[in-house]
Amino acid sequence: AVVSTQSTGTEGKLGWEYRQVLAGNPDPWCVEGNFYPRADHTRPHILYTMEDYRVVGCVDCMDDQHYINYLLINVNEMGRCKDCGSCYVCLPHPEPDLIWVDPHH
């Protein structure tokens, strides 16, 4: 497939996202859930955010549970699931200048 470098009006957020997908990054905004083994405080799950916090739904709990434990984790803090003990740490997104601001609003 030939990728044109001609301007198509998708500069800014959409252009950056499209370029990231072409470069092999299927989740440029870090919103897809990643499934890892249960993590303790020595190796917590790392979550990136462009805000001051992140809401996390823990599904590492027992297989017979039919609910999700939600945690609100502030940046540079660790949260722990009250049922299974999985730990999560929220860090600032490595590229915060990617936040798109609509110049017309």
PDB file of all heavy atoms in Angstrom, residues 50-71:
ATOM      1  N   MET A  50      -3.481  11.342  31.092  1.00  0.00           N
ATOM      2  CA  MET A  50      -3.255  12.739  30.752  1.00  0.00           C
ATOM      3  C   MET A  50      -4.001  13.645  31.725  1.00  0.00           C
ATOM      4  O   MET A  50      -4.001  14.854  31.578  1.00  0.00           O
ATOM      5  CB  MET A  50      -3.711  13.016  29.317  1.00  0.00           C
ATOM      6  CG  MET A  50      -2.858  12.347  28.279  1.00  0.00           C
ATOM      7  SD  MET A  50      -3.341  12.885  26.658  1.00  0.00           S
ATOM      8  CE  MET A  50      -2.422  11.771  25.645  1.00  0.00           C
ATOM      9  N   GLU A  51      -4.668  13.058  32.700  1.00  0.00           N
ATOM     10  CA  GLU A  51      -5.409  13.801  33.715  1.00  0.00           C
ATOM     11  C   GLU A  51      -4.675  13.663  35.052  1.00  0.00           C
ATOM     12  O   GLU A  51      -3.576  13.147  35.120  1.00  0.00           O
ATOM     13  CB  GLU A  51      -6.837  13.249  33.828  1.00  0.00           C
ATOM     14  CG  GLU A  51      -7.623  13.279  32.534  1.00  0.00           C
ATOM     15  CD  GLU A  51      -7.916  14.687  32.051  1.00  0.00           C
ATOM     16  OE1 GLU A  51      -7.981  15.612  32.880  1.00  0.00           O
ATOM     17  OE2 GLU A  51      -8.084  14.859  30.842  1.00  0.00           O
ATOM     18  N   ASP A  52      -5.309  14.115  36.122  1.00  0.00           N
ATOM     19  CA  ASP A  52      -4.710  14.014  37.451  1.00  0.00           C
ATOM     20  C   ASP A  52      -5.019  12.683  38.136  1.00  0.00           C
ATOM     21  O   ASP A  52      -4.573  12.436  39.246  1.00  0.00           O
ATOM     22  CB  ASP A  52      -5.202  15.156  38.341  1.00  0.00           C
ATOM     23  CG  ASP A  52      -4.723  16.500  37.840  1.00  0.00           C
ATOM     24  OD1 ASP A  52      -3.654  16.551  37.199  1.00  0.00           O
ATOM     25  OD2 ASP A  52      -5.418  17.509  38.089  1.00  0.00           O
ATOM     26  N   TYR A  53      -5.821  11.839  37.490  1.00  0.00           N
ATOM     27  CA  TYR A  53      -6.226  10.573  38.080  1.00  0.00           C
ATOM     28  C   TYR A  53      -6.601   9.608  36.965  1.00  0.00           C
ATOM     29  O   TYR A  53      -6.663   9.975  35.797  1.00  0.00           O
ATOM     30  CB  TYR A  53      -7.433  10.771  39.010  1.00  0.00           C
ATOM     31  CG  TYR A  53      -8.643  11.283  38.270  1.00  0.00           C
ATOM     32  CD1 TYR A  53      -9.575  10.406  37.740  1.00  0.00           C
ATOM     33  CD2 TYR A  53      -8.840  12.648  38.078  1.00  0.00           C
ATOM     34  CE1 TYR A  53     -10.663  10.867  37.035  1.00  0.00           C
ATOM     35  CE2 TYR A  53      -9.927  13.121  37.387  1.00  0.00           C
ATOM     36  CZ  TYR A  53     -10.843  12.221  36.872  1.00  0.00           C
ATOM     37  OH  TYR A  53     -11.920  12.681  36.164  1.00  0.00           O
ATOM     38  N   ARG A  54      -6.887   8.372  37.350  1.00  0.00           N
ATOM     39  CA  ARG A  54      -7.370   7.373  36.395  1.00  0.00           C
ATOM     40  C   ARG A  54      -8.315   6.444  37.139  1.00  0.00           C
ATOM     41  O   ARG A  54      -8.047   6.050  38.275  1.00  0.00           O
ATOM     42  CB  ARG A  54      -6.190   6.581  35.834  1.00  0.00           C
ATOM     43  CG  ARG A  54      -6.529   5.540  34.803  1.00  0.00           C
ATOM     44  CD  ARG A  54      -6.325   6.087  33.412  1.00  0.00           C
ATOM     45  NE  ARG A  54      -6.726   5.133  32.394  1.00  0.00           N
ATOM     46  CZ  ARG A  54      -5.918   4.658  31.464  1.00  0.00           C
ATOM     47  NH1 ARG A  54      -4.672   5.051  31.392  1.00  0.00           N
ATOM     48  NH2 ARG A  54      -6.364   3.822  30.578  1.00  0.00           N
ATOM     49  N   VAL A  55      -9.437   6.105  36.524  1.00  0.00           N
ATOM     50  CA  VAL A  55     -10.378   5.136  37.087  1.00  0.00           C
ATOM     51  C   VAL A  55     -10.050   3.778  36.479  1.00  0.00           C
ATOM     52  O   VAL A  55      -9.938   3.643  35.261  1.00  0.00           O
ATOM     53  CB  VAL A  55     -11.837   5.531  36.787  1.00  0.00           C
ATOM     54  CG1 VAL A  55     -12.791   4.464  37.294  1.00  0.00           C
ATOM     55  CG2 VAL A  55     -12.160   6.881  37.416  1.00  0.00           C
ATOM     56  N   VAL A  56      -9.883   2.788  37.342  1.00  0.00           N
ATOM     57  CA  VAL A  56      -9.476   1.457  36.918  1.00  0.00           C
ATOM     58  C   VAL A  56     -10.522   0.456  37.376  1.00  0.00           C
ATOM     59  O   VAL A  56     -10.996   0.516  38.505  1.00  0.00           O
ATOM     60  CB  VAL A  56      -8.111   1.078  37.539  1.00  0.00           C
ATOM     61  CG1 VAL A  56      -7.680  -0.296  37.093  1.00  0.00           C
ATOM     62  CG2 VAL A  56      -7.076   2.110  37.207  1.00  0.00           C
ATOM     63  N   GLY A  57     -10.874  -0.460  36.498  1.00  0.00           N
ATOM     64  CA  GLY A  57     -11.757  -1.555  36.863  1.00  0.00           C
ATOM     65  C   GLY A  57     -10.942  -2.823  37.012  1.00  0.00           C
ATOM     66  O   GLY A  57     -10.357  -3.304  36.042  1.00  0.00           O
ATOM     67  N   CYS A  58     -10.865  -3.362  38.209  1.00  0.00           N
ATOM     68  CA  CYS A  58     -10.069  -4.570  38.462  1.00  0.00           C
ATOM     69  C   CYS A  58     -10.913  -5.801  38.171  1.00  0.00           C
ATOM     70  O   CYS A  58     -11.953  -6.017  38.781  1.00  0.00           O
ATOM     71  CB  CYS A  58      -9.585  -4.593  39.908  1.00  0.00           C
ATOM     72  SG  CYS A  58      -8.550  -6.031  40.248  1.00  0.00           S
ATOM     73  N   VAL A  59     -10.436  -6.602  37.233  1.00  0.00           N
ATOM     74  CA  VAL A  59     -11.104  -7.859  36.910  1.00  0.00           C
ATOM     75  C   VAL A  59     -10.179  -9.039  37.202  1.00  0.00           C
ATOM     76  O   VAL A  59     -10.421 -10.136  36.727  1.00  0.00           O
ATOM     77  CB  VAL A  59     -11.578  -7.875  35.437  1.00  0.00           C
ATOM     78  CG1 VAL A  59     -12.669  -6.874  35.214  1.00  0.00           C
ATOM     79  CG2 VAL A  59     -10.416  -7.631  34.498  1.00  0.00           C
ATOM     80  N   ASP A  60      -9.118  -8.819  37.983  1.00  0.00           N
ATOM     81  CA  ASP A  60      -8.199  -9.891  38.366  1.00  0.00           C
ATOM     82  C   ASP A  60      -8.753 -10.746  39.494  1.00  0.00           C
ATOM     83  O   ASP A  60      -8.135 -11.730  39.881  1.00  0.00           O
ATOM     84  CB  ASP A  60      -6.860  -9.316  38.839  1.00  0.00           C
ATOM     85  CG  ASP A  60      -5.988  -8.891  37.676  1.00  0.00           C
ATOM     86  OD1 ASP A  60      -6.299  -9.288  36.542  1.00  0.00           O
ATOM     87  OD2 ASP A  60      -5.010  -8.173  37.903  1.00  0.00           O
ATOM     88  N   CYS A  61      -9.888 -10.347  40.031  1.00  0.00           N
ATOM     89  CA  CYS A  61     -10.442 -11.031  41.200  1.00  0.00           C
ATOM     90  C   CYS A  61     -10.877 -12.453  40.853  1.00  0.00           C
ATOM     91  O   CYS A  61     -10.726 -12.903  39.729  1.00  0.00           O
ATOM     92  CB  CYS A  61     -11.600 -10.221  41.759  1.00  0.00           C
ATOM     93  SG  CYS A  61     -11.097  -8.551  42.231  1.00  0.00           S
ATOM     94  N   MET A  62     -11.455 -13.117  41.802  1.00  0.00           N
ATOM     95  CA  MET A  62     -11.843 -14.517  41.639  1.00  0.00           C
ATOM     96  C   MET A  62     -12.735 -14.705  40.410  1.00  0.00           C
ATOM     97  O   MET A  62     -13.528 -13.849  40.056  1.00  0.00           O
ATOM     98  CB  MET A  62     -12.599 -15.002  42.870  1.00  0.00           C
ATOM     99  CG  MET A  62     -11.896 -14.696  44.165  1.00  0.00           C
ATOM    100  SD  MET A  62     -10.248 -15.394  44.155  1.00  0.00           S
ATOM    101  CE  MET A  62      -9.584 -14.674  45.613  1.00  0.00           C
ATOM    102  N   ASP A  63     -12.610 -15.872  39.785  1.00  0.00           N
ATOM    103  CA  ASP A  63     -13.369 -16.153  38.568  1.00  0.00           C
ATOM    104  C   ASP A  63     -14.873 -16.220  38.801  1.00  0.00           C
ATOM    105  O   ASP A  63     -15.654 -16.000  37.882  1.00  0.00           O
ATOM    106  CB  ASP A  63     -12.904 -17.469  37.944  1.00  0.00           C
ATOM    107  CG  ASP A  63     -11.489 -17.362  37.390  1.00  0.00           C
ATOM    108  OD1 ASP A  63     -11.082 -16.240  37.055  1.00  0.00           O
ATOM    109  OD2 ASP A  63     -10.819 -18.405  37.299  1.00  0.00           O
ATOM    110  N   ASP A  64     -15.291 -16.523  40.014  1.00  0.00           N
ATOM    111  CA  ASP A  64     -16.720 -16.677  40.269  1.00  0.00           C
ATOM    112  C   ASP A  64     -17.401 -15.358  40.654  1.00  0.00           C
ATOM    113  O   ASP A  64     -18.591 -15.339  40.941  1.00  0.00           O
ATOM    114  CB  ASP A  64     -16.960 -17.728  41.354  1.00  0.00           C
ATOM    115  CG  ASP A  64     -16.279 -17.371  42.668  1.00  0.00           C
ATOM    116  OD1 ASP A  64     -15.447 -16.438  42.677  1.00  0.00           O
ATOM    117  OD2 ASP A  64     -16.567 -18.036  43.682  1.00  0.00           O
ATOM    118  N   GLN A  65     -16.675 -14.250  40.673  1.00  0.00           N
ATOM    119  CA  GLN A  65     -17.283 -12.955  40.992  1.00  0.00           C
ATOM    120  C   GLN A  65     -17.912 -12.364  39.744  1.00  0.00           C
ATOM    121  O   GLN A  65     -17.359 -12.456  38.654  1.00  0.00           O
ATOM    122  CB  GLN A  65     -16.244 -11.990  41.560  1.00  0.00           C
ATOM    123  CG  GLN A  65     -15.763 -12.389  42.925  1.00  0.00           C
ATOM    124  CD  GLN A  65     -14.741 -11.406  43.464  1.00  0.00           C
ATOM    125  OE1 GLN A  65     -14.239 -10.570  42.739  1.00  0.00           O
ATOM    126  NE2 GLN A  65     -14.437 -11.516  44.737  1.00  0.00           N
ATOM    127  N   HIS A  66     -19.046 -11.748  39.921  1.00  0.00           N
ATOM    128  CA  HIS A  66     -19.772 -11.171  38.798  1.00  0.00           C
ATOM    129  C   HIS A  66     -19.860  -9.659  38.910  1.00  0.00           C
ATOM    130  O   HIS A  66     -20.869  -9.061  38.563  1.00  0.00           O
ATOM    131  CB  HIS A  66     -21.160 -11.788  38.704  1.00  0.00           C
ATOM    132  CG  HIS A  66     -21.121 -13.272  38.505  1.00  0.00           C
ATOM    133  ND1 HIS A  66     -20.719 -13.842  37.323  1.00  0.00           N
ATOM    134  CD2 HIS A  66     -21.393 -14.294  39.350  1.00  0.00           C
ATOM    135  CE1 HIS A  66     -20.763 -15.162  37.441  1.00  0.00           C
ATOM    136  NE2 HIS A  66     -21.161 -15.458  38.650  1.00  0.00           N
ATOM    137  N   TYR A  67     -18.842  -9.044  39.431  1.00  0.00           N
ATOM    138  CA  TYR A  67     -18.804  -7.592  39.526  1.00  0.00           C
ATOM    139  C   TYR A  67     -17.370  -7.125  39.316  1.00  0.00           C
ATOM    140  O   TYR A  67     -16.437  -7.908  39.339  1.00  0.00           O
ATOM    141  CB  TYR A  67     -19.340  -7.098  40.869  1.00  0.00           C
ATOM    142  CG  TYR A  67     -18.579  -7.612  42.073  1.00  0.00           C
ATOM    143  CD1 TYR A  67     -17.470  -6.934  42.562  1.00  0.00           C
ATOM    144  CD2 TYR A  67     -18.970  -8.768  42.725  1.00  0.00           C
ATOM    145  CE1 TYR A  67     -16.764  -7.399  43.652  1.00  0.00           C
ATOM    146  CE2 TYR A  67     -18.281  -9.250  43.822  1.00  0.00           C
ATOM    147  CZ  TYR A  67     -17.184  -8.552  44.273  1.00  0.00           C
ATOM    148  OH  TYR A  67     -16.484  -9.011  45.349  1.00  0.00           O
ATOM    149  N   ILE A  68     -17.238  -5.832  39.091  1.00  0.00           N
ATOM    150  CA  ILE A  68     -15.925  -5.227  38.860  1.00  0.00           C
ATOM    151  C   ILE A  68     -15.634  -4.265  39.997  1.00  0.00           C
ATOM    152  O   ILE A  68     -16.493  -3.466  40.373  1.00  0.00           O
ATOM    153  CB  ILE A  68     -15.897  -4.479  37.514  1.00  0.00           C
ATOM    154  CG1 ILE A  68     -16.153  -5.452  36.368  1.00  0.00           C
ATOM    155  CG2 ILE A  68     -14.561  -3.779  37.320  1.00  0.00           C
ATOM    156  CD1 ILE A  68     -16.320  -4.787  35.025  1.00  0.00           C
ATOM    157  N   ASN A  69     -14.448  -4.329  40.548  1.00  0.00           N
ATOM    158  CA  ASN A  69     -14.023  -3.382  41.578  1.00  0.00           C
ATOM    159  C   ASN A  69     -13.395  -2.184  40.889  1.00  0.00           C
ATOM    160  O   ASN A  69     -12.415  -2.328  40.161  1.00  0.00           O
ATOM    161  CB  ASN A  69     -12.997  -4.019  42.523  1.00  0.00           C
ATOM    162  CG  ASN A  69     -13.620  -5.037  43.429  1.00  0.00           C
ATOM    163  OD1 ASN A  69     -14.732  -4.858  43.884  1.00  0.00           O
ATOM    164  ND2 ASN A  69     -12.905  -6.121  43.676  1.00  0.00           N
ATOM    165  N   TYR A  70     -13.960  -1.006  41.117  1.00  0.00           N
ATOM    166  CA  TYR A  70     -13.415   0.212  40.520  1.00  0.00           C
ATOM    167  C   TYR A  70     -12.554   0.948  41.536  1.00  0.00           C
ATOM    168  O   TYR A  70     -12.907   1.049  42.710  1.00  0.00           O
ATOM    169  CB  TYR A  70     -14.545   1.121  40.033  1.00  0.00           C
ATOM    170  CG  TYR A  70     -15.230   0.567  38.815  1.00  0.00           C
ATOM    171  CD1 TYR A  70     -16.402  -0.161  38.927  1.00  0.00           C
ATOM    172  CD2 TYR A  70     -14.686   0.748  37.556  1.00  0.00           C
ATOM    173  CE1 TYR A  70     -17.027  -0.685  37.810  1.00  0.00           C
ATOM    174  CE2 TYR A  70     -15.297   0.229  36.430  1.00  0.00           C
ATOM    175  CZ  TYR A  70     -16.467  -0.483  36.565  1.00  0.00           C
ATOM    176  OH  TYR A  70     -17.072  -1.000  35.460  1.00  0.00           O
ATOM    177  N   LEU A  71     -11.414   1.443  41.066  1.00  0.00           N
ATOM    178  CA  LEU A  71     -10.497   2.204  41.911  1.00  0.00           C
ATOM    179  C   LEU A  71     -10.240   3.555  41.248  1.00  0.00           C
ATOM    180  O   LEU A  71     -10.092   3.621  40.034  1.00  0.00           O
ATOM    181  CB  LEU A  71      -9.154   1.471  42.033  1.00  0.00           C
ATOM    182  CG  LEU A  71      -9.195   0.030  42.480  1.00  0.00           C
ATOM    183  CD1 LEU A  71      -8.198  -0.789  41.712  1.00  0.00           C
ATOM    184  CD2 LEU A  71      -8.883  -0.024  43.940  1.00  0.00           C
TER     185      LEU A  71
END
